[in-house]
Amino acid sequence: MILEIELNGKMKFEHLMNTIYNQLGICHRVLSANIEYVNGYSFGTVQLYINVNSEDYQQLEFYLNKNKLISTSVEYTCRKYF
């Protein structure tokens, strides 16, 4: 699953990545990040590839909502040429 998270200055990018991996136990890969730092706070978006079951995903969603971070699941479709 690809998850896009919007950073709105409420949490540092590094803290978010650390929490997802160390506290929630979710392995992830950063696919893209467009982040700006203002006075030590992170703003922008990051796309993560995560491989989780529904229980772990619910736990991650709860954490993101609790910290007022907006997230959306992203699905890509491949274009086929004939």
Side-chain angles (χ1 to χ4, degrees):
M1 163 190 291
I2 297 174
L3 183 67
E4 184 170 283
I5 302 170
E6 183 178 329
L7 299 168
N8 53 11
K10 300 200 182 300
M11 181 179 296
K12 292 183 178 183
F13 171 72
E14 295 81 3
H15 178 73
L16 175 62
M17 296 299 104
N18 185 48
T19 300
I20 290 173
Y21 181 72
N22 290 324
Q23 291 180 10
L24 300 176
I26 297 173
C27 293
H28 61 276
R29 198 172 337 150
V30 176
L31 299 176
S32 71
N34 183 14
I35 301 169
E36 292 185 31
Y37 295 93
V38 178
N39 296 328
Y41 295 98
S42 303
F43 294 89
T45 59
V46 60
Q47 286 188 345
L48 302 177
Y49 174 77
I50 56 174
N51 189 7
V52 293
N53 60 33
S54 62
E55 184 179 306
D56 289 340
Y57 181 70
Q58 286 177 349
Q59 187 179 12
L60 177 57
E61 265 191 322
F62 176 77
Y63 175 79
L64 295 172
N65 288 332
K66 183 178 94 174
N67 289 285
K68 298 179 179 23
L69 295 171
I70 298 170
S71 66
T72 53
S73 164
V74 178
E75 291 191 29
Y76 288 99
T77 56
C78 294
R79 185 179 292 184
K80 292 183 180 179
Y81 297 95
F82 297 97

